[in-house]
Amino acid sequence: MNSMRAMLGDSLYEWFTQFGQLLDGLWNSLLVWQLLTLLLLLLLIGRIYKRPK
């Protein structure tokens, strides 16, 4: 990692690490949103099928 830091410079290296952490947080929140959406979709489908014809 030190060679990368020397190549990029300190400020750019710190920006890259912060960007990586941001992407990681975004990925986790996206995963949570996907799970919530799937759950809501399943509930909706279940309600549609339970509806009396």
Side-chain angles (χ1 to χ4, degrees):
M1 276 320 235
N2 278 342
S3 59
M4 194 175 165
R5 179 180 281 197
M7 202 169 70
L8 291 173
D10 279 339
S11 57
L12 199 60
Y13 177 80
E14 282 180 19
W15 185 85
F16 263 107
T17 51
Q18 284 178 358
F19 190 67
Q21 287 173 359
L22 183 73
L23 278 179
D24 201 33
L26 273 176
W27 176 252
N28 288 338
S29 61
L30 272 177
L31 199 64
V32 169
W33 278 113
Q34 282 177 346
L35 289 171
L36 282 173
T37 308
L38 190 66
L39 195 70
L40 283 172
L41 200 64
L42 286 172
L43 283 171
L44 191 68
I45 289 170
R47 281 191 175 187
I48 289 170
Y49 278 120
K50 284 180 183 175
R51 203 179 277 166
K53 292 179 181 177

